[in-house]
Amino acid sequence: MDLSTTSVLAAKAYKYKAESLVKEYLLVDSYVSYTAVLGGILMCKMAYDITSLISSLYYKGYGSLTKIQKLEWNNRGMSTVHAVFITVTSVYLVFFSNIFSDQLDGPVTFRSSNLSNFTLGVSVGYFITDLAMILWVYPSLGGMEYVLHHMLSLISIVYAMYSGEGQLYTYMVLISETTTPGINLRWFLDTAGLKKSKAYLVNGVAMFVAWLVARIILFVYLFYHIYFHYDQVKQMHTFSFILIFAVPTILLVMNTMWFAKILRGLKKTLAKRQ
């Protein structure tokens, strides 16, 4: 047996062992949530460090940023990675997988899977990490509205993950994270002194559209879905029932207030370019 064949067999053996470890230990029902939360925290750490490394290598102005600016810069890189991950998985679970399909038997409000629980766990890990950073340097990374947003998100996600109730609506709300990369890019461009660039304008328009769709229209659709599935919604436990109505309502109010600010900012930017 030659060296290449031995290497291939060894690689397959390691792959098999890794897959067995994941299936038999990390993704079994009793461990999936804990594994995911830890994975989310580690993902944040890696994203934070990689953002710092890449920025120091390819952006000359990174070295001249203050300590707090560097922290926020890296934090926004971290939140962008989470936003891409949770948006892709949430869109898949809500619109493309069959887990929440009306074609299946049983209430849609009580459906979950290892994949849906794992994804929620990763998001819990992110929100724990980000909230800790916000409180650590408060209010440099955001004021009380950010603390409220993260606390509501954590309570809702953790309860949906462990109870298995209302995960569909939790994922609908999490799709709103699709606006995060645009928000972060706007901050990056502003910090880099590119506020007058074409990229800043294009990003502003894209952020306006994304916010309107993901944080306003989608929330209206969420309440529409709740209305037509109210017979299933009212079967949930009282705390789940309260969360389903209270959290999206509070977030919708906050989203509408932020949307008004985005609209005013976009108007000012367009006016300056005329």
Side-chain angles (χ1 to χ4, degrees), residues 195-269:
K195 196 170 183 178
K196 296 182 179 180
S197 66
K198 185 177 180 180
Y200 188 85
L201 175 62
V202 173
N203 178 72
V205 174
M207 190 171 69
F208 169 82
V209 174
W211 196 284
L212 177 63
V213 174
R215 289 185 180 262
I216 303 297
I217 296 177
L218 183 60
F219 273 67
V220 174
Y221 173 74
L222 183 152
F223 287 113
Y224 169 85
H225 192 281
I226 289 175
Y227 175 78
F228 280 96
H229 294 78
Y230 186 71
D231 60 324
Q232 300 176 22
V233 172
K234 66 183 181 181
Q235 296 178 36
M236 296 190 300
H237 290 91
T238 302
F239 190 64
S240 296
F241 185 85
I242 294 173
L243 285 177
I244 287 299
F245 284 97
V247 174
T249 299
I250 294 172
L251 292 179
L252 179 58
V253 171
M254 295 173 68
N255 289 340
T256 303
M257 294 171 61
W258 284 329
F259 183 68
K261 293 182 180 180
I262 293 172
L263 181 58
R264 288 195 296 269
L266 182 60
K267 286 182 177 180
K268 289 181 180 179
T269 302

Side-chain angles (χ1 to χ4, degrees), residues 44-82:
C44 290
K45 171 61 175 173
M46 290 177 60
Y48 185 94
D49 291 342
I50 291 174
T51 300
S52 176
L53 177 62
I54 293 177
S55 299
S56 61
L57 291 175
Y58 296 100
Y59 174 50
K60 295 180 180 179
Y62 182 78
S64 61
L65 297 177
T66 66
K67 183 178 179 180
I68 290 297
Q69 284 180 320
K70 286 182 179 179
L71 187 146
E72 182 168 3
W73 183 286
N74 300 335
N75 174 273
R76 287 180 180 273
M78 178 185 82
S79 67
T80 297
V81 171
H82 167 262

Side-chain angles (χ1 to χ4, degrees), residues 164-199:
E165 296 185 12
Q167 288 195 5
L168 170 60
Y169 302 120
T170 302
Y171 276 113
M172 283 187 182
V173 172
L174 284 171
I175 291 175
S176 64
E177 286 294 307
T178 191
T179 60
T180 298
I183 296 171
N184 290 338
L185 179 57
R186 186 177 182 83
W187 186 89
F188 286 136
L189 292 171
D190 189 8
T191 303
L194 298 174
K195 196 170 183 178
K196 296 182 179 180
S197 66
K198 185 177 180 180

